[in-house]
Amino acid sequence: MSVDASELPLHVQRDQFDPPAEISALRDRPGLERVHDSLGREAWLVTRYDDAREVLGDATRFSNQRVPAVPMPGVDPEKMRAGQLLALDPPDHTRLRRLLTGEFTVRRIRRLQPRVQEIVDEHLDAMAAAGPPADLVTDFALPIPSLVICELLGVPYDDRDDFQTRASKQIDLTLPMAERGKVALESREYMGGLVDRAVASPGDDLLGMLVREHGDDVTRDELIGIASLLLIAGHETTANMLALGTLALLRHPDQAALLREDPDAVAPAVEELMRFLSIVHAAVPRVAVDDSEVGGERIAGGDMVLVQLAAADRDRALADDPDQLDIGRAAAPHVAFGHGVHHCLGAPLARMEMATAFPALLRRFPTLAPVHDVARADFREGTFIYGMRSLPLTW
C-alpha cells in the first residue's frame, strides 16, 4: 500500500525550500526528540549542527553497518549491502572507498570540466533552438549529470530512461516496500550485466579501472554495489540541486545576477545553495554502538539515530540569518554532503557540475523566469532526495 507524502515522518518533509516549522522548533529545544522513521522504527532525531557533526563524524560510536537491513521481499540483505559504502563501517568501508578516492580528487575532476562544459552547452543550445517554454528538469537538470555519470562509469546512455525510472522508485518513500524491493532486484540485475561485461572486457571507464587494477580485491557483489550507488547518487543528487537551486536563484533576482556576472561568486554560491537546500533530508541512519550522550541526551547502545541535515544546515550555530539564501556569505562548512568518513565521495564532481551549469544557464537566458509562481511549483515530495518533478521556465 502506498503512503501519502504528507503522512511520512517530519524529518523527510519540506515546506517548499525549508524544513517544516516543527523540525526547526525541535532544533531550538534542548535534548533530542524520540521519533519513528519511515518504516516505523524508533530513533533519536538530531537536528542541531554541532550534534549532527558529532554523530556523523564518529564512526566508532555510531555505526552504519549495525542498522537493521530494510526487509524487502525476495531481496538478500547481505548481497544488497555488499559494496554499498553508506551501509558499511571501517575497515570494510575504508578498503572499498580507498579504491575509488583517486577517481574523485579535485585534480582528476578538473580534467572532466571541459567535457561537462560541452555537455552543458549542447543542452543549452537545444533549449534555445526549441524555444520557450522548457522544462528544466527534463531538458537540462536531469540529462546533464546522467550523461556525465554514464560516461564516467561506462553505463550506456541509451539506458538512461530505464535506470532513471528505477532510481526514482528506489528512493520514493511513498511506494510499497514490495515494489521498491522488486525495483532493487531489477537494478541489481542490470548492473550485474554491466559488471560482467567490464570483467570480460575492461574499458577506460571507472568500472573498467576497478576490474583492471583491483579485480582481485573486490567481489562481483561489491562491484555491483559500488556501481549501483555511484549511478544513483551521481545523477539524482546533482539533478535535483540544479532544478531546485535554479528556482531558488530565480526567486532572488539580485543573487542570480551576481552569479551570472561575477565568476568569483560561483564557488561560494554553490556552497550556499547546498547549505540552504540540503536536498538529502537525512543522513543514512546510525546505531549507537554503546551507551553514549549527544546534545545532553542519553542514548542507549543499540538505539538508532537519525540526523536531519536540512535542519542542521539552518542552525544559527552555522550561519547568521540561516533561513535566508545569501550567496555572498563566506562559504559555510555545511553538512549537505555529510561529514566524517561517509562524506560524499562524489562531492568534487557535484560541485564542478553545479559551478559549470548554473552560471552557463543564467548567462544564456538572462531573462529566465518560472512559468508558475512558487506556490504552484512541482516540488518532489516523499523521496529520500528532495527536488523538483518539473520546472517549466520561459525567457
Side-chain angles (χ1 to χ4, degrees):
M1 181 184 220
S2 298
V3 178
D4 188 270
S6 63
E7 298 175 357
L8 288 169
L10 274 176
H11 74 276
V12 289
Q13 293 187 30
R14 293 292 175 100
D15 180 7
Q16 296 183 0
F17 300 109
D18 305 325
E22 296 92 327
I23 285 284
S24 298
L26 292 179
R27 184 190 57 223
D28 295 335
R29 295 208 298 259
L32 307 181
E33 189 76 8
R34 197 74 166 150
V35 298
H36 290 86
D37 72 359
S38 56
L39 297 174
R41 301 176 298 189
E42 279 196 326
W44 292 103
L45 183 63
V46 172
T47 53
R48 287 185 291 277
Y49 176 74
D50 290 337
D51 296 341
R53 283 177 59 97
E54 179 181 352
V55 172
L56 299 178
D58 195 338
T60 60
R61 291 167 61 206
F62 300 99
S63 164
N64 287 41
Q65 204 156 328
R66 297 191 187 199
V67 176
V70 177
M72 294 184 179
V75 175
D76 180 342
E78 290 311 308
K79 274 185 174 290
M80 298 302 288
R81 187 187 293 272
Q84 290 286 343
L85 296 175
L86 293 175
L88 299 174
D89 295 331
D92 291 336
H93 172 271
T94 308
R95 173 178 64 87
L96 294 177
R97 181 161 174 139
R98 188 178 292 129
L99 306 181
L100 299 165
T101 302
E103 298 300 310
F104 290 95
T105 62
V106 173
R107 181 177 179 183
R108 184 70 61 90
I109 294 302
R110 193 175 292 127
R111 296 178 190 171
L112 297 176
Q113 200 278 333
R115 175 56 182 148
V116 172
Q117 184 70 63
E118 183 180 3
I119 292 170
V120 167
D121 290 342
E122 287 171 355
H123 285 79
L124 291 173
D125 290 344
M127 287 172 60
D135 185 342
L136 192 77
V137 173
T138 56
D139 295 340
F140 188 78
L142 184 56
I144 289 171
S146 295
L147 183 52
V148 172
I149 199 63
C150 281
E151 292 188 1
L152 188 64
L153 277 175
V155 175
Y157 189 56
D158 289 345
D159 295 348
R160 66 190 180 280
D161 288 341
D162 289 337
F163 76 66
Q164 286 169 358
T165 298
R166 287 193 297 265
S168 65
K169 288 183 177 180
Q170 284 179 267
I171 64 172
D172 189 341
L173 302 174
T174 68
L175 291 180
M177 194 55 67
E179 183 174 351
R180 291 169 64 191
K182 179 175 177 289
V183 173
L185 289 175
E186 291 172 355
S187 297
R188 179 178 176 78
E189 182 178 357
Y190 169 74
M191 195 56 69
L194 295 183
V195 166
D196 291 342
R197 271 184 269 170
V199 170
S201 179
D204 295 329
D205 47 71
L206 195 150
L207 263 181
M209 178 279 293
L210 287 172
V211 169
R212 279 194 315 274
E213 299 183 16
H214 307 290
D216 295 333
D217 304 320
V218 289
T219 66
R220 179 178 184 271
D221 286 338
E222 287 174 334
L223 282 172
I224 292 172
I226 290 169
S228 298
L229 175 62
L230 292 177
L231 181 61
I232 293 176
H235 77 272
E236 279 284 351
T237 50
T238 306
N240 284 290
M241 269 302 303
L242 289 176
L244 196 62
T246 297
L247 182 59
L249 287 167
L250 294 178
R251 287 197 67 200
H252 298 80
D254 56 332
Q255 300 195 48
L258 180 62
L259 183 53
R260 182 189 304 116
E261 297 162 5
D262 183 1
D264 292 336
V266 175
V270 167
E271 299 308 312
E272 173 66 356
L273 285 166
M274 287 295 305
R275 180 203 69 80
F276 182 72
L277 298 172
S278 300
I279 58 166
V280 177
H281 300 290
V284 170
R286 268 69 168 170
V287 165
V289 175
D290 297 304
D291 291 354
S292 188
E293 184 177 301
V294 174
E297 195 79 57
R298 181 174 174 78
I299 298 174
D303 282 0
M304 194 159 71
V305 181
L306 294 171
V307 177
Q308 221 283 348
L309 302 175
D313 276 335
R314 296 292 189 91
D315 193 336
R316 286 184 292 274
L318 173 63
D320 294 331
D321 203 6
D323 290 321
Q324 296 301 313
L325 177 68
D326 178 7
I327 67 170
R329 76 168 88 231
H334 57 75
V335 291
F337 282 123
H339 177 63
V341 299
H342 290 285
H343 182 272
C344 177
L345 178 69
L349 176 61
R351 285 184 166 109
M352 184 267 283
E353 289 177 308
M354 286 186 279
T356 303
F358 279 130
L361 173 68
L362 294 171
R363 288 173 190 146
R364 179 66 68 93
F365 304 113
T367 60
L368 198 67
V371 172
H372 307 300
D373 62 34
V374 71
R376 295 175 58 195
D378 192 7
F379 293 102
R380 185 186 187 191
E381 299 174 329
T383 58
F384 183 71
I385 301 170
Y386 190 54
M388 310 291 300
R389 289 190 182 88
S390 66
L391 181 57
L393 299 177
T394 189
W395 57 89

